[in-house]
Amino acid sequence: MSSIRGEFSSRFGFIMAAAGSAVGLGNIWGFPTQTASNGGAAFVLAYLVLAFCLAYPALMAELVIGRHGQANAVTSLQKLANNSIQKRFAFIVGFGGIICSGLILSFYAIVAGWMFSATLEPIAVISGSESATSWLGEQSLSRNLIFTAAFILLTVAIISKGVENGIEKWSKRLMPALLFILFALIAYVLTQDGAMEGVKAYLVPDFGSILDPNLLVSALGQAFFSLSLGTSVMIIYGSYISKQENLVSLGAYVTLIDVFIAFVAGMLIIPAMYVAQAQGVEIFSQTGELLSEDTLVFQVLPALFDSMGGIGIFIGFAFFALMSIAALTSSISMLEAPVSYAVEKFALARVHATRLIGVIVSVVSVTIILNFNSLFGFVVQLTTQFAQPLIGMLCCVFAGWIWHRGKLLNAIKEGNESVENSFFWKIWPWYIKFVCPLAIALVFINSL
Ligand code: PHE
């Protein structure tokens, strides 16, 4: 198990780390709000199909590329190249993923900073400090700068400890905590008036909207974001998996946990919206659509917590702590992508590489905060709607077209001798060769 590069020490450790990367604000915030604004259960159905049929095969491509390469994303992809043109192409895809990952971190840290301050707000309320309560609760430059920096610092602190003592150790602690808080909150919300109406809106699909191209584009983008695809993160996490492990089942576990938590988070957020409505909080906009995104998380839910009386403070605290933990296990994976490249390519010490990249990401974050209206939406769109599907698709092209099929089989076979006769091997190579690139390209062109 011990190599100089670091490796996950156990199967459980990898699953917690990769699921920690996958389960983030995308699941607990993005998925429920997208569901709310895209026709409820129809979106859920489209998401489930796309996650298993397109995102899981793409995840497998990234994991196997990483485990075979045993190196950062650029080097791992370059190991598959047969000539200098392919090598250059490998660099563009791998490095593109690394940049994408850094850019995602720079906006993700801002949102995670909001979650941090919202977690502390109930504490300020209890301590009776009005000025702290209002500073924590209202958007301001100083608050955003401080909490974004705090979040990046925490991420840097974990990543500088390396794979086993940083990523794995913290994922193994934080992921069970996340599950516990999530289920406790659901148990509470489902007992409240109005919750069942929310459950119905969430689970009974309106089939009319299922083939709506916008719904499909949103569901595919959501599935890719949620599984951290197209950012080189899963390539680098794959490179830390031992060759004795069965990749096919590991990838399946990660996908199942990710989809399951998104689904379960919907069981919290959507019923909570209807509970809020039953208590007089507005959840529909003037045009009759469900409120979504930041209005939902930062106005509807806090209004609900306020209306619950004394217990609301604790529920609010638990809710935003849940969001913060989810964000942290994802952000560490985003930072690992550029750090692993800097360490391996420039022979930097991990601590130095982590700090250096932490500073670069902070500079980008501050630039976004200072130009929030023009930059935030732009960076989100550029990375999540444009770069992630495109790079994810190119990784499929690498595994499906550039990698020799016999060699690909050998790579998958390690830790899984009988894979050749499995259902997986019968369809997956064909899938990453034709179905994934075509489907992603189609959805992508549609979205332009
Ligand atoms: N998957 C994470 C989420 O759902 C976000 C993420 C994107 C993490 C890209 C790593 C890389 O919130």
Side-chain angles (χ1 to χ4, degrees):
M1 289 267 139
S2 57
S3 61
I4 310 165
R5 302 190 59 240
E7 193 171 274
F8 292 116
S9 71
S10 65
R11 207 176 153 71
F12 179 68
F14 166 76
I15 294 174
M16 286 300 102
S21 167
V23 174
L25 298 176
N27 301 59
I28 301 176
W29 182 2
F31 177 74
T33 51
Q34 291 244 25
T35 303
S37 48
N38 278 298
F43 181 83
V44 178
L45 203 64
Y47 176 78
L48 291 178
V49 172
L50 292 176
F52 287 115
C53 298
L54 284 182
Y56 169 66
L59 169 70
M60 286 309 301
E62 294 197 17
L63 288 178
V64 71
I65 289 171
R67 195 191 47 184
H68 169 262
Q70 293 288 303
N72 65 81
V74 172
T75 313
S76 289
L77 282 162
Q78 283 182 332
K79 282 189 182 165
L80 306 179
N82 305 306
N83 54 45
S84 61
I85 296 181
Q86 289 180 356
K87 227 175 176 152
R88 223 167 288 159
F89 181 45
F91 175 81
I92 295 173
V93 176
F95 197 70
I98 289 170
I99 297 286
C100 180
S101 185
L103 278 176
I104 292 180
L105 178 56
S106 62
F107 78 74
Y108 207 81
I110 300 173
V111 181
W114 299 340
M115 302 299 167
F116 263 12
S117 57
T119 311
L120 295 183
E121 196 191 335
I123 300 177
V125 172
I126 291 175
S127 72
S129 162
E130 270 178 32
S131 57
T133 307
S134 65
W135 182 70
L136 288 167
E138 283 160 24
Q139 286 284 358
S140 70
L141 187 59
S142 62
R143 188 203 71 171
N144 289 345
L145 288 176
I146 288 174
F147 281 99
T148 301
F151 186 78
I152 294 177
L153 268 178
L154 205 58
T155 307
V156 164
I158 295 179
I159 284 301
S160 53
K161 296 255 177 246
V163 180
E164 219 184 304
N165 289 323
I167 301 176
E168 182 172 345
K169 187 162 147 191
W170 281 95
S171 304
K172 283 203 293 209
R173 287 178 182 169
L174 294 173
M175 287 302 285
L178 178 140
L179 277 178
F180 175 79
I181 301 176
L182 183 60
F183 282 108
L185 283 169
I186 291 177
Y188 180 78
V189 164
L190 288 186
T191 59
Q192 303 295 300
D193 282 347
M196 285 309 138
E197 206 188 322
V199 172
K200 227 161 81 201
Y202 186 45
L203 296 181
V204 183
D206 158 18
F207 284 108
S209 52
I210 200 137
L211 289 177
D212 176 354
N214 285 333
L215 184 142
L216 291 179
V217 173
S218 308
L220 184 71
Q222 177 62 30
F224 265 64
F225 182 72
S226 194
L227 275 175
S228 315
L229 298 176
T231 58
S232 84
V233 161
M234 289 301 175
I235 299 186
I236 189 67
Y237 272 23
S239 80
Y240 299 139
I241 304 176
S242 144
K243 296 211 167 173
Q244 270 109 50
E245 297 292 354
N246 178 340
L247 266 193
V248 178
S249 66
L250 283 182
Y253 281 130
V254 173
T255 310
L256 280 171
I257 295 177
D258 184 52
V259 169
F260 173 73
I261 296 202
F263 186 76
V264 169
M267 283 298 275
L268 169 67
I269 306 275
I270 312 264
M273 291 169 64
Y274 283 81
V275 173
Q277 189 186 36
Q279 308 205 351
V281 179
E282 269 189 43
I283 64 167
F284 291 98
S285 69
Q286 288 186 333
T287 52
E289 283 160 0
L290 281 173
L291 293 176
S292 64
E293 316 262 316
D294 49 345
T295 338
L296 173 63
V297 170
F298 291 106
Q299 286 173 20
V300 174
L301 295 180
L304 169 67
F305 304 145
D306 282 348
S307 67
M308 289 174 171
I311 193 171
I313 287 198
F314 297 99
I315 305 272
F317 171 78
F319 176 75
F320 286 108
L322 169 78
M323 291 286 213
S324 303
I325 293 173
L328 189 59
T329 55
S330 296
S331 69
I332 55 181
S333 70
M334 294 169 201
L335 185 58
E336 179 62 16
V339 165
S340 60
Y341 178 69
V343 167
E344 291 172 10
K345 173 87 187 171
F346 304 110
L348 288 178
R350 173 172 270 274
V351 180
H352 295 153
T354 311
R355 286 187 192 154
L356 178 71
I357 292 166
V359 169
I360 299 174
V361 169
S362 306
V363 170
V364 180
S365 289
V366 171
T367 313
I368 297 177
I369 293 177
L370 294 176
N371 302 280
F372 194 83
N373 291 340
S374 54
L375 281 186
F376 185 80
F378 170 73
V379 178
V380 173
Q381 205 175 12
L382 178 75
T383 51
T384 63
Q385 284 185 11
F386 182 78
Q388 279 195 278
L390 191 68
I391 294 170
M393 176 180 92
L394 292 176
C395 288
C396 291
V397 168
F398 257 92
W401 292 90
I402 293 181
W403 207 343
H404 186 271
R405 196 177 153 121
K407 291 185 182 155
L408 174 61
L409 175 61
N410 286 340
I412 283 272
K413 250 182 166 172
E414 284 181 291
N416 187 359
E417 266 308 310
S418 57
V419 72
E420 199 171 349
N421 305 315
S422 67
F423 176 66
F424 176 83
W425 184 254
K426 286 202 179 79
I427 61 169
W428 179 71
W430 176 80
Y431 232 85
I432 48 166
K433 202 162 179 164
F434 299 105
V435 180
C436 290
L438 259 175
I440 298 167
L442 267 180
V443 174
F444 189 67
I445 292 168
N446 220 329
S447 75
L448 295 180

